[in-house]
Amino acid sequence: MLIPTEEYARYGLDATDAGLPKRLDAIERMIRTVTRNRFQVRGARIEAASEGGVLLGASPLIGVGDTVQLTCSAANDGLYVVRAVEEGITRLDRELADEPRNRVTLVRYPADVVMGAVGMLEYDLASPKRNAGIASETLSRHSVTYRAPGAADSFAGYPLEVTAFLKPHMRACF
């Protein structure tokens, strides 16, 4: 999770907007896909079984509210948010299937990625979608011209000035 719900106001976001978590989740997944960067902290990684919907293991480096990525399991691979850590048991935001082995890795986003995602969200909420693509419109004593976005001046569906923060985080694809 890029931004916990309780911190929305700190970033100027409307915490009452029910669709905001889904939008941020989509932006997070898009950032991870186009950069090919998982933003993992490999020093904060554990192997743990899952049983009864929880992880049977904990790390002192992974706490409540942190995002973790589960890999190397048959059914639990994905991103989760830690909801509780108690007595060697880690509870996540969704129940887990019983698995003998899950690799649990802490995910931490740099501040520029978080602020860039907020900028992308603001662009989504503010951009006039109904006028997209209009290059020029002229009526009597009134003229409207919009920049026609093209492949050269956009990246992942956003203008380059909105996505410039992604460049240092790009990983090579082999």
Side-chain angles (χ1 to χ4, degrees):
M1 172 181 291
L2 279 166
I3 303 170
T5 310
E6 53 275 1
E7 292 186 20
Y8 282 178
R10 214 170 97 186
Y11 294 96
L13 302 174
D14 180 14
T16 61
D17 183 355
L20 206 54
K22 290 285 187 197
R23 287 177 184 263
L24 279 170
D25 185 47
I27 289 172
E28 176 183 13
R29 290 179 191 285
M30 189 274 303
I31 288 171
R32 291 170 60 91
T33 300
V34 300
T35 61
R36 295 184 275 311
N37 189 335
R38 297 196 271 179
F39 300 97
Q40 293 182 339
V41 180
R42 292 187 181 142
R45 177 180 282 172
I46 62 169
E47 302 280 336
S50 56
E51 188 176 297
V54 298
L55 283 172
L56 303 178
S59 167
L61 302 174
I62 299 173
V64 174
D66 284 340
T67 299
V68 293
Q69 182 171 7
L70 271 61
T71 55
C72 301
S73 70
N76 295 326
D77 286 3
L79 293 176
Y80 297 85
V81 177
V82 177
R83 293 294 177 218
V85 179
E86 54 208 26
E87 300 174 9
I89 294 175
T90 304
R91 294 185 191 282
L92 304 177
D93 61 340
R94 297 186 312 271
E95 287 211 8
L96 301 173
D98 292 351
E99 292 280 337
R101 179 174 177 251
N102 298 282
R103 179 176 292 157
V104 184
T105 309
L106 177 64
V107 174
R108 184 152 299 137
Y109 297 101
D112 64 326
V113 171
V114 173
M115 293 309 297
V118 169
M120 293 171 78
L121 180 63
E122 288 171 348
Y123 176 81
D124 278 346
L125 297 174
S127 66
K129 303 266 190 273
R130 67 185 192 287
N131 294 328
I134 297 174
S136 179
E137 177 180 295
T138 304
L139 301 171
S140 178
R141 291 182 282 197
H142 179 72
S143 178
V144 177
T145 303
Y146 296 96
R147 184 176 82 177
D153 57 351
S154 68
F155 179 71
Y158 293 89
L160 288 177
E161 58 267 14
V162 175
T163 58
F165 73 94
L166 293 174
K167 193 167 190 160
H169 302 286
M170 299 292 273
R171 296 278 169 98
C173 183
F174 296 102

